[in-house]
Amino acid sequence: MRISAKADYAVRAMLELATADEPLSADAVGRRQGIPVAFLQKIFADLRLSGLVTTHRGREGGYRLSRAATAITVADVLRAVEGPLADVHGHAPEDIAYRDVAESLQDVWIALRANVRDVLEGVTLADVQRGRLPRRIARLAAAEDARLRR
């Protein structure tokens, strides 16, 4: 699975908002996380349209989470900026029909999506912010071969 810069930046920006007591400007978030501000403003537009952040105008304005960090999953953020967690050529795996020797491939893509959901829907911004991932996620990351590149 490939995590785009946009997805990575979006999660990092949301983590900054999760730690803030007041609204943060895109400029402030960009400086703290090393994210280009123009790109970040586009990301915040997607996050706002999805209902994950709200904006506040004025001198003390900026962006805030629209709900508690405990109620926003990493999956929510990725869907807001990238769309579905797993698709095949822009279609849901269950909408793809394969024939002959490739027929079981649909189940592979569906299983992949189920596992991606299991991880990303199981981790909230608050979990990441605190550095305390759910046990099953921490176990996956700590597995002996988890950090091996293949």
Side-chain angles (χ1 to χ4, degrees):
M1 181 176 171
R2 182 178 173 276
I3 307 297
S4 69
K6 184 177 185 180
D8 179 59
Y9 290 169
V11 174
R12 289 166 45 200
M14 293 291 281
L15 289 167
E16 284 294 332
L17 298 183
T19 63
D21 293 327
E22 67 275 335
L24 292 178
S25 69
D27 189 55
V29 172
R31 272 194 320 273
R32 291 177 185 180
Q33 287 296 319
I35 301 171
V37 176
F39 193 24
L40 187 55
Q41 288 172 329
K42 292 176 186 173
I43 291 168
F44 275 136
D46 289 340
L47 294 169
R48 189 178 56 73
L49 285 173
S50 70
L52 294 179
V53 299
T54 58
T55 58
H56 298 272
R57 294 189 179 272
R59 193 168 147 232
E60 302 293 320
Y63 297 92
R64 291 195 106 116
L65 297 181
S66 63
R67 55 188 191 259
T70 56
I72 299 174
T73 67
V74 174
D76 294 330
V77 178
L78 296 185
R79 284 186 186 111
V81 298
E82 298 283 18
L85 295 176
D87 63 20
V88 181
H89 303 287
H91 300 283
E94 62 273 11
D95 294 337
I96 304 291
Y98 292 102
R99 295 181 296 189
D100 303 321
V101 296
E103 196 170 330
S104 298
L105 191 54
Q106 180 186 51
D107 290 337
V108 172
W109 302 147
I110 290 171
L112 172 71
R113 180 181 61 190
N115 278 290
V116 168
R117 281 179 179 168
D118 187 45
V119 171
L120 298 178
E121 290 176 352
V123 179
T124 67
L125 294 177
D127 295 331
V128 178
Q129 175 191 5
R130 294 180 197 139
R132 297 180 72 200
L133 300 178
R135 280 197 179 124
R136 63 189 172 77
I137 305 302
R139 272 195 303 270
L140 286 171
E144 187 175 314
D145 65 344
R147 297 185 190 275
L148 295 178
R149 290 181 125 188
R150 295 185 189 158

